[in-house]
Amino acid sequence: AQKVTQAQTEISVVEKEDVTLDCVYETRDTTYYLFWYKQPPSGELVFLIRRNSFDEQNEISGRYSWNFQKSTSSFNFTITASQVVDSAVYFCALAEDYKLSFGAGTTVTVRA
Amino acid sequence: EAGVAQSPRYKIIEKRQSVAFWCNPISGHATLYWYQQILGQGPKLLIQFQNNGVVDDSQLPKDRFSAERLKGVDSTLKIQPAKLEDSAVYLCASILGSGGYNEQFFGPGTRLTVL
């Protein structure tokens, strides 16, 4: 069974638009962590954020923000005022029992 | 600080041939992972090492895949014989300590094409 679902396969926006990426996860554990990684065309996965299951505070880091809601098992990611350099594949991942399970990814294309 | 190194970056082989990939993790990182990423999908864990011991290889197709990390530093992943469905990017990642809840640092990957 898929543990992490990223329903959006591709999103295309014009520069300066906001982009929200959805992530829904499934787990029976009470202790788990959620991650977002970015994979630019170069191929190397870049860590963006980690959130544990006991911390539901939303977080903002520059143009990035994350909304974690345990009630709906969602961990959504928003890029504000998108830029061309944000074009990449974004992966949501769930860590339980010390293992990472990745979603299928959402390809974001930002057009100038 | 140097990142995770992988080689080769690209490899093209014919089915039934053998291939090996190499990974050198970040210095001091005890835990090393190999992932397979098929086009259009997220990475899937193949094997996890802590130092030179295997922690989890439950998703490694052991009839054709093998991996080792003899001195607890660099690691090799081998496929013998390769099948068409093995075409993918093979990613290596490392982590400080043993906890899978920490940030994993990924290498650039090896793109394998099996013809």
Side-chain angles (χ1 to χ4, degrees), chain A residues 20-70:
Chain A
T20 294
L21 310 181
D22 299 332
C23 172
V24 174
Y25 62 92
E26 182 182 328
T27 180
R28 295 180 181 177
D29 288 357
T30 54
T31 301
Y32 56 89
Y33 282 73
L34 295 162
F35 295 77
W36 277 94
Y37 281 85
K38 173 182 179 180
Q39 188 173 43
S42 61
E44 199 161 326
L45 279 151
V46 177
F47 167 81
L48 295 177
I49 191 171
R50 177 186 67 174
R51 175 65 81 227
N52 75 55
S53 52
F54 299 106
D55 183 3
E56 284 193 75
Q57 275 197 338
N58 293 329
E59 182 163 337
I60 298 175
S61 176
R63 296 184 297 106
Y64 296 166
S65 62
W66 291 269
N67 182 274
F68 177 26
Q69 293 192 349
K70 285 179 75 171

Side-chain angles (χ1 to χ4, degrees), chain A residues 31 33 35 37 39 42-45 47 50 91 95-100 102-104, chain B residues 9 33 35 37 40-43 45 48 56 91 99-104 106-108:
Chain A
T31 301
Y33 282 73
F35 295 77
Y37 281 85
Q39 188 173 43
S42 61
E44 199 161 326
L45 279 151
F47 167 81
R50 177 186 67 174
F91 291 96
E96 46 180 1
D97 196 23
Y98 301 110
K99 288 184 284 192
L100 265 187
F102 286 85
Chain B
R9 290 297 310 277
Y33 305 84
Y35 290 87
Q37 185 178 16
Q41 299 181 19
L45 179 67
Q48 176 187 349
D56 184 351
L91 295 164
Y101 297 146
N102 292 330
E103 170 193 353
Q104 292 188 20
F106 284 82

Side-chain angles (χ1 to χ4, degrees), chain B residues 1 4 7 18 24 40 43 46 64 68 72 85 88:
Chain B
E1 177 181 78
V4 176
S7 68
S18 302
N24 191 20
L46 291 175
R64 298 182 301 105
E68 59 183 14
E85 59 260 35

